[in-house]
Amino acid sequence: MKRRTFIQNTAIGGLGISTGLAALACGNTSENESASKDEKMLVGSLPLVIATWDVKEATAKAWEVMQNGGSSLDAIEQGCKVEEANAEGQSVGIGGLPDREGNVTLDACIMNAAGDYGAVVYLQNILHPISVARKVMEETPHVLLAGKGAEQFAFEQGFEKTNLLTEASKKAWEEWKITSQYKPIINIENHDTIGMLAIDENGDISGGCTTSGLAYKMAGRVGDSPIIGSGLFVDNEVGAATATGLGEEVLKTVGSFLIVELMRQGKSPQEACEEAVNRIVKKNSERIKDFQVGYIAVNKQGETGAYGIHEGFVYTVYQNENNEKHIPDFYLKNS
Ligand code: SD4
């Protein structure tokens, strides 16, 4: 049985994991004896896209790219661009809520299966930070460009200047200024901040993360999303993870790297996401009622996992021809 055929045959069930397939992967069945080493690795079906929040248009785009023979890296860039261009969503790209000075500043990063990484932080006036991040990765000797330098680089690469502050976001900011109270709002992200992971038919994993960060943040503030190991980490031998929510807490625990390392040690994506959330919870038992963090992860075998602190975090999976919103378990349910 060729690998591709095997992949097609696995296309059953919600997240693509059935007992039979899991057993095949674990080496318990007689079919297993004729399976190649490559086939034994596979549990969920490929290709696969998973993203934070309810972002079906973005996952559909990424899926389409891979159906047309594109790589997981192409899928990530094109999928993330869908949300960046959505002026209605107020936490990524155009229409993102500004910092307290009224500036929309964007953070994004991308990682490929070779372990290359590119990122932009505090980028202004550019519609597609994920594409600039990819250019940083592919066209420069660096991995991370910030602020004016990142903007200048984007212009040199042919990106156009775009006003990212929409009327709706300007109005929201003007209303906010009346009280100027700063308090992260749980699940404000619940539309389009995007952390996305994809595995293509070759089994290669890529990931991306793009956001306007927290609304009304201090000028100059950068969150976890563009920082390797925190908002995103990909290791093509093991799997990938990405985060959403209060970036400061993700940064302090290097959450996405932690999840990938836990998967390397044998934890499932679900167990690894839970452990990463638990680390944050343990350090913040008094404060966790005030902020949200959610993780999603995928391993090399195509299994997925997700976990949040609060109810309200959702994610989207496109696998087996199904593009669906999922509701993960969350910490505060059990405490
Ligand atoms: C940040 N983690 O800048 C981001 C915000 C976010 O959905 O994920 N919003 O802290």
Side-chain angles (χ1 to χ4, degrees), residues 158-211:
F159 292 83
E160 281 172 14
K161 184 164 184 167
T162 308
N163 175 18
L164 301 174
L165 186 64
T166 57
E167 277 309 311
S169 291
K170 191 167 172 218
K171 191 160 168 263
W173 169 59
E174 277 161 356
E175 279 164 15
W176 173 80
K177 277 199 294 182
I178 297 167
T179 61
S180 297
Q181 268 199 349
Y182 181 70
K183 186 169 181 246
I185 301 164
I186 293 166
N187 297 325
I188 194 174
E189 313 87 352
N190 194 357
H191 30 74
D192 62 356
T193 291
I194 233 193
M196 182 184 278
L197 313 169
I199 314 184
D200 58 32
E201 279 204 357
N202 294 327
D204 285 331
I205 312 174
S206 301
C209 196
T210 179
T211 186

Short mmCIF file of all heavy atoms in Angstrom, two decimals, residues 158-211:
data_model
loop_
_atom_site.label_atom_id
_atom_site.label_comp_id
_atom_site.label_asym_id
_atom_site.label_seq_id
_atom_site.Cartn_x
_atom_site.Cartn_y
_atom_site.Cartn_z
N GLY A 158 8.24 45.68 -1.93
CA GLY A 158 7.09 45.95 -2.79
C GLY A 158 5.74 46.00 -2.08
O GLY A 158 4.70 46.10 -2.73
N PHE A 159 5.75 45.91 -0.75
CA PHE A 159 4.47 46.02 -0.03
C PHE A 159 4.04 47.49 -0.03
O PHE A 159 4.88 48.39 0.10
CB PHE A 159 4.63 45.53 1.42
CG PHE A 159 4.86 44.05 1.51
CD1 PHE A 159 6.14 43.52 1.35
CD2 PHE A 159 3.81 43.17 1.76
CE1 PHE A 159 6.37 42.15 1.44
CE2 PHE A 159 4.04 41.80 1.85
CZ PHE A 159 5.32 41.29 1.69
N GLU A 160 2.72 47.70 -0.14
CA GLU A 160 2.22 49.08 -0.20
C GLU A 160 1.85 49.61 1.17
O GLU A 160 1.46 48.85 2.05
CB GLU A 160 0.96 49.13 -1.07
CG GLU A 160 1.31 49.10 -2.54
CD GLU A 160 0.08 48.96 -3.40
OE1 GLU A 160 -1.05 49.14 -2.89
OE2 GLU A 160 0.28 48.63 -4.58
N LYS A 161 1.94 50.95 1.28
CA LYS A 161 1.53 51.59 2.54
C LYS A 161 0.00 51.54 2.66
O LYS A 161 -0.72 51.91 1.73
CB LYS A 161 2.02 53.03 2.55
CG LYS A 161 1.75 53.73 3.84
CD LYS A 161 2.55 55.01 3.97
CE LYS A 161 2.28 55.60 5.34
NZ LYS A 161 3.21 56.64 5.72
N THR A 162 -0.49 51.08 3.79
CA THR A 162 -1.95 50.94 4.00
C THR A 162 -2.32 51.51 5.37
O THR A 162 -1.63 51.23 6.36
CB THR A 162 -2.34 49.44 4.00
OG1 THR A 162 -1.83 48.84 2.83
CG2 THR A 162 -3.85 49.24 4.05
N ASN A 163 -3.38 52.30 5.40
CA ASN A 163 -3.88 52.77 6.70
C ASN A 163 -4.67 51.64 7.36
O ASN A 163 -5.67 51.19 6.84
CB ASN A 163 -4.78 53.99 6.49
CG ASN A 163 -5.42 54.43 7.80
OD1 ASN A 163 -4.95 54.06 8.88
ND2 ASN A 163 -6.49 55.19 7.71
N LEU A 164 -4.20 51.18 8.51
CA LEU A 164 -4.81 50.01 9.15
C LEU A 164 -5.88 50.37 10.18
O LEU A 164 -6.58 49.50 10.68
CB LEU A 164 -3.72 49.17 9.84
CG LEU A 164 -2.60 48.66 8.92
CD1 LEU A 164 -1.51 47.98 9.75
CD2 LEU A 164 -3.12 47.71 7.86
N LEU A 165 -5.98 51.67 10.50
CA LEU A 165 -6.96 52.09 11.53
C LEU A 165 -8.30 52.38 10.84
O LEU A 165 -8.47 53.42 10.22
CB LEU A 165 -6.45 53.33 12.28
CG LEU A 165 -7.29 53.78 13.47
CD1 LEU A 165 -7.31 52.72 14.58
CD2 LEU A 165 -6.78 55.11 14.02
N THR A 166 -9.24 51.46 10.96
CA THR A 166 -10.55 51.66 10.34
C THR A 166 -11.38 52.62 11.19
O THR A 166 -11.07 52.87 12.36
CB THR A 166 -11.30 50.32 10.25
OG1 THR A 166 -11.40 49.78 11.57
CG2 THR A 166 -10.60 49.34 9.34
N GLU A 167 -12.44 53.13 10.62
CA GLU A 167 -13.33 54.04 11.35
C GLU A 167 -13.86 53.36 12.62
O GLU A 167 -13.91 53.97 13.68
CB GLU A 167 -14.50 54.48 10.46
CG GLU A 167 -14.15 55.65 9.54
CD GLU A 167 -13.53 56.84 10.27
OE1 GLU A 167 -14.09 57.27 11.30
OE2 GLU A 167 -12.46 57.31 9.84
N ALA A 168 -14.23 52.10 12.50
CA ALA A 168 -14.80 51.38 13.66
C ALA A 168 -13.77 51.27 14.78
O ALA A 168 -14.07 51.48 15.96
CB ALA A 168 -15.29 50.00 13.23
N SER A 169 -12.53 50.96 14.42
CA SER A 169 -11.49 50.81 15.46
C SER A 169 -11.12 52.16 16.05
O SER A 169 -10.83 52.27 17.25
CB SER A 169 -10.27 50.11 14.88
OG SER A 169 -10.60 48.78 14.61
N LYS A 170 -11.14 53.20 15.21
CA LYS A 170 -10.84 54.55 15.71
C LYS A 170 -11.91 54.95 16.73
O LYS A 170 -11.61 55.49 17.79
CB LYS A 170 -10.82 55.52 14.53
CG LYS A 170 -10.27 56.86 14.88
CD LYS A 170 -9.99 57.65 13.63
CE LYS A 170 -9.62 59.06 14.03
NZ LYS A 170 -10.13 60.07 13.14
N LYS A 171 -13.14 54.65 16.39
CA LYS A 171 -14.25 55.01 17.29
C LYS A 171 -14.11 54.25 18.62
O LYS A 171 -14.26 54.83 19.70
CB LYS A 171 -15.57 54.63 16.60
CG LYS A 171 -16.77 55.16 17.27
CD LYS A 171 -17.96 55.19 16.30
CE LYS A 171 -19.23 55.45 17.07
NZ LYS A 171 -19.99 54.25 17.42
N ALA A 172 -13.78 52.96 18.52
CA ALA A 172 -13.63 52.16 19.74
C ALA A 172 -12.50 52.73 20.61
O ALA A 172 -12.62 52.83 21.83
CB ALA A 172 -13.33 50.70 19.37
N TRP A 173 -11.42 53.14 19.97
CA TRP A 173 -10.28 53.71 20.71
C TRP A 173 -10.69 55.03 21.37
O TRP A 173 -10.37 55.28 22.54
CB TRP A 173 -9.12 53.92 19.73
CG TRP A 173 -7.99 54.71 20.27
CD1 TRP A 173 -7.22 54.44 21.36
CD2 TRP A 173 -7.49 55.95 19.74
NE1 TRP A 173 -6.27 55.40 21.54
CE2 TRP A 173 -6.41 56.35 20.55
CE3 TRP A 173 -7.83 56.75 18.64
CZ2 TRP A 173 -5.67 57.52 20.30
CZ3 TRP A 173 -7.10 57.90 18.39
CH2 TRP A 173 -6.04 58.26 19.22
N GLU A 174 -11.45 55.86 20.64
CA GLU A 174 -11.86 57.15 21.21
C GLU A 174 -12.77 56.93 22.41
O GLU A 174 -12.67 57.63 23.42
CB GLU A 174 -12.51 58.02 20.14
CG GLU A 174 -11.42 58.73 19.35
CD GLU A 174 -11.86 59.27 18.00
OE1 GLU A 174 -13.02 59.04 17.60
OE2 GLU A 174 -11.01 59.91 17.34
N GLU A 175 -13.60 55.93 22.32
CA GLU A 175 -14.47 55.61 23.47
C GLU A 175 -13.63 55.09 24.64
O GLU A 175 -13.86 55.43 25.80
CB GLU A 175 -15.53 54.59 23.07
CG GLU A 175 -16.69 55.25 22.36
CD GLU A 175 -17.58 54.28 21.60
OE1 GLU A 175 -17.48 53.06 21.84
OE2 GLU A 175 -18.35 54.76 20.76
N TRP A 176 -12.65 54.28 24.34
CA TRP A 176 -11.78 53.72 25.39
C TRP A 176 -11.04 54.84 26.12
O TRP A 176 -10.87 54.79 27.34
CB TRP A 176 -10.77 52.74 24.78
CG TRP A 176 -9.76 52.29 25.79
CD1 TRP A 176 -9.94 51.33 26.75
CD2 TRP A 176 -8.45 52.82 25.99
NE1 TRP A 176 -8.81 51.23 27.51
CE2 TRP A 176 -7.87 52.13 27.08
CE3 TRP A 176 -7.69 53.81 25.35
CZ2 TRP A 176 -6.59 52.38 27.54
CZ3 TRP A 176 -6.41 54.07 25.81
CH2 TRP A 176 -5.87 53.36 26.89
N LYS A 177 -10.66 55.88 25.36
CA LYS A 177 -9.87 56.96 25.97
C LYS A 177 -10.62 57.69 27.08
O LYS A 177 -10.02 58.30 27.95
CB LYS A 177 -9.44 57.97 24.88
CG LYS A 177 -8.20 57.50 24.15
CD LYS A 177 -7.50 58.63 23.43
CE LYS A 177 -8.35 59.18 22.31
NZ LYS A 177 -7.69 60.25 21.55
N ILE A 178 -11.93 57.63 27.03
CA ILE A 178 -12.72 58.33 28.04
C ILE A 178 -12.37 57.79 29.44
O ILE A 178 -12.21 58.54 30.39
CB ILE A 178 -14.23 58.18 27.75
CG1 ILE A 178 -14.54 58.85 26.42
CG2 ILE A 178 -15.08 58.75 28.88
CD1 ILE A 178 -15.91 58.54 25.85
N THR A 179 -12.21 56.48 29.56
CA THR A 179 -11.83 55.93 30.88
C THR A 179 -10.35 55.55 30.92
O THR A 179 -9.73 55.57 31.98
CB THR A 179 -12.63 54.65 31.19
OG1 THR A 179 -12.34 53.69 30.18
CG2 THR A 179 -14.11 54.94 31.24
N SER A 180 -9.80 55.18 29.77
CA SER A 180 -8.39 54.74 29.68
C SER A 180 -8.07 53.62 30.64
O SER A 180 -6.95 53.51 31.12
CB SER A 180 -7.43 55.91 29.92
OG SER A 180 -7.59 56.86 28.94
N GLN A 181 -9.04 52.80 30.93
CA GLN A 181 -8.77 51.67 31.84
C GLN A 181 -8.18 50.53 31.05
O GLN A 181 -8.76 50.11 30.05
CB GLN A 181 -10.07 51.22 32.47
CG GLN A 181 -10.31 51.94 33.77
CD GLN A 181 -11.33 51.19 34.60
OE1 GLN A 181 -11.98 50.27 34.13
NE2 GLN A 181 -11.45 51.60 35.84
N TYR A 182 -7.07 50.02 31.53
CA TYR A 182 -6.43 48.94 30.79
C TYR A 182 -6.63 47.62 31.50
O TYR A 182 -6.15 47.41 32.60
CB TYR A 182 -4.93 49.20 30.63
CG TYR A 182 -4.28 48.09 29.84
CD1 TYR A 182 -4.56 47.96 28.49
CD2 TYR A 182 -3.46 47.16 30.44
CE1 TYR A 182 -4.02 46.92 27.75
CE2 TYR A 182 -2.91 46.12 29.72
CZ TYR A 182 -3.20 46.01 28.37
OH TYR A 182 -2.67 44.99 27.64
N LYS A 183 -7.36 46.75 30.85
CA LYS A 183 -7.57 45.43 31.42
C LYS A 183 -7.82 44.48 30.26
O LYS A 183 -8.77 44.67 29.49
CB LYS A 183 -8.80 45.47 32.34
CG LYS A 183 -9.02 44.18 33.09
CD LYS A 183 -10.07 44.37 34.19
CE LYS A 183 -10.26 43.09 34.95
NZ LYS A 183 -11.55 42.49 34.81
N PRO A 184 -6.95 43.48 30.07
CA PRO A 184 -7.19 42.55 28.97
C PRO A 184 -8.58 41.93 29.10
O PRO A 184 -9.02 41.58 30.19
CB PRO A 184 -6.12 41.48 29.17
CG PRO A 184 -5.06 42.15 29.97
CD PRO A 184 -5.76 43.17 30.83
N ILE A 185 -9.28 41.85 28.00
CA ILE A 185 -10.64 41.31 28.03
C ILE A 185 -10.58 39.86 27.55
O ILE A 185 -10.09 39.57 26.47
CB ILE A 185 -11.58 42.14 27.13
CG1 ILE A 185 -11.58 43.59 27.61
CG2 ILE A 185 -12.98 41.55 27.14
CD1 ILE A 185 -12.15 44.57 26.63
N ILE A 186 -11.09 38.98 28.41
CA ILE A 186 -11.01 37.55 28.10
C ILE A 186 -11.78 37.24 26.83
O ILE A 186 -12.93 37.64 26.68
CB ILE A 186 -11.57 36.74 29.29
CG1 ILE A 186 -10.63 36.91 30.48
CG2 ILE A 186 -11.72 35.27 28.94
CD1 ILE A 186 -11.22 36.45 31.77
N ASN A 187 -11.12 36.54 25.94
CA ASN A 187 -11.74 36.10 24.68
C ASN A 187 -12.11 37.24 23.75
O ASN A 187 -12.89 37.05 22.83
CB ASN A 187 -12.97 35.22 24.91
CG ASN A 187 -12.61 33.93 25.62
OD1 ASN A 187 -11.53 33.40 25.37
ND2 ASN A 187 -13.47 33.46 26.48
N ILE A 188 -11.54 38.45 23.97
CA ILE A 188 -11.77 39.51 22.99
C ILE A 188 -11.26 39.05 21.64
O ILE A 188 -11.69 39.48 20.58
CB ILE A 188 -11.09 40.83 23.40
CG1 ILE A 188 -11.64 41.97 22.55
CG2 ILE A 188 -9.58 40.75 23.29
CD1 ILE A 188 -11.13 43.34 22.95
N GLU A 189 -10.31 38.10 21.70
CA GLU A 189 -9.69 37.62 20.48
C GLU A 189 -10.63 36.74 19.69
O GLU A 189 -10.28 36.28 18.61
CB GLU A 189 -8.44 36.79 20.83
CG GLU A 189 -7.50 37.42 21.84
CD GLU A 189 -7.90 37.07 23.27
OE1 GLU A 189 -8.97 36.48 23.47
OE2 GLU A 189 -7.16 37.42 24.19
N ASN A 190 -11.84 36.50 20.23
CA ASN A 190 -12.65 35.42 19.68
C ASN A 190 -13.22 35.72 18.31
O ASN A 190 -14.41 35.72 18.11
CB ASN A 190 -13.77 35.06 20.65
CG ASN A 190 -14.39 33.74 20.28
OD1 ASN A 190 -14.00 33.14 19.28
ND2 ASN A 190 -15.36 33.31 21.04
N HIS A 191 -12.38 36.02 17.38
CA HIS A 191 -12.82 36.06 15.99
C HIS A 191 -11.68 35.76 15.05
O HIS A 191 -11.78 34.87 14.23
CB HIS A 191 -13.48 37.38 15.64
CG HIS A 191 -12.97 38.55 16.41
ND1 HIS A 191 -11.74 39.10 16.15
CD2 HIS A 191 -13.49 39.23 17.45
CE1 HIS A 191 -11.55 40.11 17.01
NE2 HIS A 191 -12.58 40.21 17.80
N ASP A 192 -10.55 36.43 15.23
CA ASP A 192 -9.63 36.26 14.11
C ASP A 192 -8.14 36.38 14.42
O ASP A 192 -7.35 36.42 13.48
CB ASP A 192 -10.00 37.23 13.00
CG ASP A 192 -9.87 38.65 13.46
OD1 ASP A 192 -9.57 38.85 14.64
OD2 ASP A 192 -10.08 39.55 12.67
N THR A 193 -7.71 36.53 15.65
CA THR A 193 -6.27 36.43 15.88
C THR A 193 -5.86 35.03 15.48
O THR A 193 -6.50 34.08 15.90
CB THR A 193 -5.91 36.63 17.35
OG1 THR A 193 -6.16 37.98 17.65
CG2 THR A 193 -4.45 36.30 17.62
N ILE A 194 -4.82 34.94 14.73
CA ILE A 194 -4.63 33.61 14.15
C ILE A 194 -3.27 33.01 14.47
O ILE A 194 -2.24 33.64 14.24
CB ILE A 194 -4.90 33.70 12.63
CG1 ILE A 194 -5.92 32.65 12.28
CG2 ILE A 194 -3.72 33.56 11.81
CD1 ILE A 194 -6.09 32.37 10.86
N GLY A 195 -3.30 31.82 15.07
CA GLY A 195 -2.15 30.94 15.10
C GLY A 195 -2.55 29.74 14.27
O GLY A 195 -3.59 29.13 14.54
N MET A 196 -1.78 29.42 13.26
CA MET A 196 -2.18 28.34 12.34
C MET A 196 -1.04 27.35 12.14
O MET A 196 0.13 27.74 12.00
CB MET A 196 -2.59 28.95 10.99
CG MET A 196 -3.07 27.91 9.99
SD MET A 196 -3.45 28.65 8.36
CE MET A 196 -5.08 29.27 8.62
N LEU A 197 -1.40 26.04 12.13
CA LEU A 197 -0.41 24.98 11.90
C LEU A 197 -0.93 24.13 10.74
O LEU A 197 -2.14 23.90 10.64
CB LEU A 197 -0.27 24.10 13.14
CG LEU A 197 -0.12 24.84 14.48
CD1 LEU A 197 -0.26 23.86 15.65
CD2 LEU A 197 1.22 25.57 14.53
N ALA A 198 -0.04 23.68 9.88
CA ALA A 198 -0.48 22.85 8.75
C ALA A 198 0.53 21.74 8.49
O ALA A 198 1.74 21.94 8.66
CB ALA A 198 -0.65 23.71 7.49
N ILE A 199 -0.01 20.59 8.10
CA ILE A 199 0.85 19.49 7.63
C ILE A 199 0.40 19.15 6.21
O ILE A 199 -0.79 18.90 5.98
CB ILE A 199 0.73 18.21 8.48
CG1 ILE A 199 0.78 18.54 9.98
CG2 ILE A 199 1.83 17.23 8.12
CD1 ILE A 199 0.77 17.31 10.88
N ASP A 200 1.34 19.17 5.27
CA ASP A 200 0.96 18.86 3.89
C ASP A 200 1.07 17.36 3.63
O ASP A 200 1.42 16.57 4.52
CB ASP A 200 1.75 19.71 2.89
CG ASP A 200 3.26 19.52 3.02
OD1 ASP A 200 3.70 18.40 3.38
OD2 ASP A 200 4.00 20.49 2.76
N GLU A 201 0.77 16.96 2.40
CA GLU A 201 0.73 15.51 2.10
C GLU A 201 2.10 14.86 2.19
O GLU A 201 2.20 13.64 2.30
CB GLU A 201 0.11 15.29 0.72
CG GLU A 201 -1.39 15.34 0.80
CD GLU A 201 -2.06 14.59 -0.34
OE1 GLU A 201 -1.35 14.07 -1.22
OE2 GLU A 201 -3.29 14.54 -0.33
N ASN A 202 3.16 15.68 2.12
CA ASN A 202 4.49 15.12 2.31
C ASN A 202 4.80 14.91 3.78
O ASN A 202 5.87 14.42 4.13
CB ASN A 202 5.56 16.07 1.73
CG ASN A 202 5.42 16.17 0.23
OD1 ASN A 202 5.03 15.21 -0.43
ND2 ASN A 202 5.73 17.35 -0.30
N GLY A 203 3.90 15.35 4.65
CA GLY A 203 4.13 15.23 6.08
C GLY A 203 4.94 16.38 6.64
O GLY A 203 5.34 16.35 7.81
N ASP A 204 5.16 17.43 5.84
CA ASP A 204 5.94 18.57 6.32
C ASP A 204 5.06 19.56 7.07
O ASP A 204 3.98 19.94 6.60
CB ASP A 204 6.62 19.28 5.14
CG ASP A 204 7.82 18.47 4.65
OD1 ASP A 204 8.42 17.75 5.48
OD2 ASP A 204 8.13 18.55 3.45
N ILE A 205 5.57 20.00 8.20
CA ILE A 205 4.79 20.89 9.09
C ILE A 205 5.32 22.32 9.00
O ILE A 205 6.53 22.55 9.01
CB ILE A 205 4.92 20.43 10.56
CG1 ILE A 205 4.68 18.93 10.70
CG2 ILE A 205 3.97 21.22 11.45
CD1 ILE A 205 4.94 18.39 12.11
N SER A 206 4.39 23.28 8.91
CA SER A 206 4.74 24.70 9.01
C SER A 206 3.74 25.38 9.93
O SER A 206 2.67 24.82 10.21
CB SER A 206 4.67 25.38 7.63
OG SER A 206 5.55 24.77 6.73
N GLY A 207 4.08 26.58 10.37
CA GLY A 207 3.16 27.32 11.24
C GLY A 207 3.32 28.81 11.07
O GLY A 207 4.35 29.30 10.58
N GLY A 208 2.29 29.54 11.48
CA GLY A 208 2.34 31.00 11.44
C GLY A 208 1.49 31.56 12.55
O GLY A 208 0.57 30.89 13.06
N CYS A 209 1.77 32.80 12.94
CA CYS A 209 0.99 33.45 13.98
C CYS A 209 0.99 34.94 13.66
O CYS A 209 2.05 35.52 13.41
CB CYS A 209 1.63 33.17 15.34
SG CYS A 209 0.55 33.52 16.72
N THR A 210 -0.19 35.57 13.65
CA THR A 210 -0.25 36.98 13.27
C THR A 210 -1.33 37.69 14.08
O THR A 210 -2.41 37.14 14.29
CB THR A 210 -0.47 37.13 11.74
OG1 THR A 210 -0.56 38.51 11.41
CG2 THR A 210 -1.70 36.40 11.24
N THR A 211 -1.03 38.90 14.54
CA THR A 211 -1.95 39.60 15.45
C THR A 211 -1.64 41.08 15.51
O THR A 211 -0.53 41.51 15.19
CB THR A 211 -1.81 39.02 16.88
OG1 THR A 211 -2.80 39.61 17.73
CG2 THR A 211 -0.45 39.27 17.49
#
